[in-house]
Amino acid sequence: MVYAVLAGGVGAARFLRGLTRVVPADEVVAIVNVGDDLTRFGLRICPDLDSITYWLGGVVHPDQQWGRADETHVVADELARFGHDPWFTLGDRDLGVHLHRSARLAEGVPLSVVTDEVRRAFGVEVQLLPATDDPVETRVHTTDGRDLHFQEYWVRERGEPEVGSVTLSGASRATAGPGVVEALLDADAVIVAPSNPVVSVGTLLAVPGVLEAVHQTPAPVVGVSPIVGGAVVRGMAHRLLPAVGAEVSAAGVARHYGARAAGGILDGWVLDRRDEREVEEVRALGIGARSVDTMMDDPDVAAALARTCLDLAAELAADQEPT
Ligand code: FO1
């Protein structure tokens, strides 16, 4: 079996941790956003790929939920000596990954190959596929006229500026990464992780070939709402959804993604229990829907959520009718 997961960072990592409790990890293929990626001090940094690797590798910083546990910042302190503004924190262990990745990229090795080396080094059995091996980056265009890299917006500006629009620069020259389209077309189920619909899933689908593959796959496509009780679980989706004309609600995100039968990407949608009253609204869109506990602090909840997604996918595949 092949389970393809469209993945951003932390929410996707938590979901994947649950999914690998209910299906063999080596049957899971995560197609990961690379729009967050940036170059600092000549090093290529891939936050979403690294968050998932660290989470599934059991070495993620438990409080930050990104970066490494047991981290030190000796190099960062030395860099501050030269006046470098430490707005983007790079720990010593984290730098080890960036140094390896950057050295391999400099040898001409594609990001997808390096990503496979890194995840295997951390004992991660889930296959991690960058959405593209080509250089792309998410740009946030603020209403006060600035064009910020996503990390400048989210980390340096703390997500405060009002957002006019979000684009994936380099997308027009990019192609889907090796194995990405095949994984989507060959999957037995495709799951849209509870990641940011704009700067994770939106930027994934902006890579030429990916959205088409999601439209064409014979597999059922089931998503998990990243919005619970009208609010984000984590991050800044509530500030970005209005910029793409979407309502900040579980049903609003389902509407934004759209039913596959109507040209969108969803056959099914899993909402949190707190949004049970929105299930009928989602079904009226032609999207099969159910509500369960989706707060994945507890790995058992993540596993049950993954089970729910697969059960809904199986039901949709069998009936070909939304329930
Ligand atoms: N997030 C922060 O809020 N502050 C940071 O200084 C920071 C540094 C950082 C370094 C490497 C990395 O992989 C992630 C890092 N993040 C930081 C998190 C990052 O902004 C997010 O993981 C994603 O890009 C959004 O999901």
Side-chain angles (χ1 to χ4, degrees):
M1 300 288 271
V2 173
Y3 304 94
V5 180
L6 296 185
V10 177
R14 286 168 170 254
F15 178 80
L16 286 163
R17 191 175 57 168
L19 182 58
T20 53
R21 298 259 301 260
V22 296
V23 299
D26 62 4
E27 294 182 1
V28 177
V29 180
I31 296 160
V32 185
N33 173 49
V34 290
D36 291 12
D37 298 6
L38 74 165
T39 299
R40 290 275 292 158
F41 304 107
L43 299 177
R44 193 66 180 158
I45 297 158
C46 303
D48 282 345
L49 285 165
D50 291 346
S51 290
I52 292 175
T53 301
Y54 292 163
W55 265 91
L56 296 182
V59 295
V60 75
H61 190 291
D63 307 326
Q64 284 174 179
Q65 305 186 40
W66 52 268
R68 292 285 292 279
D70 308 320
E71 186 60 283
T72 53
H73 296 88
V74 174
V75 172
D77 292 346
E78 285 303 307
L79 286 168
R81 181 193 300 272
F82 305 108
H84 292 292
D85 175 355
W87 67 273
F88 197 74
T89 305
L90 291 169
D92 301 320
R93 294 182 187 279
D94 198 32
L95 280 165
V97 174
H98 309 321
L99 284 165
H100 170 70
R101 177 187 293 122
S102 305
R104 294 290 280 152
L105 291 172
E107 292 165 14
V109 176
L111 179 61
S112 47
V113 173
V114 183
T115 299
D116 206 59
E117 292 171 356
V118 171
R119 64 103 176 170
R120 290 177 189 278
F122 283 97
V124 175
E125 289 182 76
V126 169
Q127 202 178 335
L128 303 184
L129 302 182
T132 176
D133 278 345
D134 298 313
V136 291
E137 60 182 42
T138 300
R139 304 296 303 185
V140 175
H141 309 280
T142 61
T143 52
D144 62 9
R146 288 179 290 167
D147 171 1
L148 302 175
H149 184 286
F150 169 74
Q151 298 296 350
E152 292 172 323
Y153 163 72
W154 172 233
V155 178
R156 200 186 64 203
E157 308 291 328
R158 289 182 302 285
E160 286 163 2
E162 188 182 342
V163 176
S165 63
V166 173
T167 57
L168 183 71
S169 82
S172 59
R173 295 182 302 281
T175 54
V180 167
V181 171
E182 295 81 352
L184 289 167
L185 295 179
D186 298 347
D188 297 280
V190 175
I191 298 171
V192 184
S195 297
N196 188 305
V198 181
V199 292
S200 291
V201 178
T203 43
L204 262 170
L205 297 174
V207 173
V210 177
L211 178 60
E212 293 77 2
V214 175
H215 281 151
Q216 286 158 19
T217 180
V221 181
V222 173
V224 178
S225 179
I227 301 292
V228 173
V232 284
V233 175
R234 177 187 161 75
M236 80 321 287
H238 59 301
R239 297 179 58 84
L240 299 180
L241 283 164
V244 296
E247 188 189 292
V248 183
S249 67
V253 176
R255 187 184 307 280
H256 170 64
Y257 283 153
R260 231 169 19 139
I265 64 168
L266 293 179
D267 298 311
W269 190 239
V270 178
L271 307 78
D272 189 82
R273 285 208 187 292
R274 270 159 277 189
D275 299 313
E276 197 152 20
R277 68 192 174 290
E278 296 181 29
V279 165
E280 284 316 314
E281 181 181 348
V282 175
R283 286 178 178 157
L285 296 170
I287 300 169
R290 63 184 61 178
S291 66
V292 293
D293 183 358
T294 67
M295 303 308 287
M296 297 182 286
D297 296 321
D298 175 345
D300 291 341
V301 171
L305 173 57
R307 181 76 269 155
T308 298
C309 292
L310 297 181
D311 292 347
L312 178 53
E315 183 185 314
L316 291 165
D319 301 355
Q320 298 297 326
E321 286 299 317
T323 57

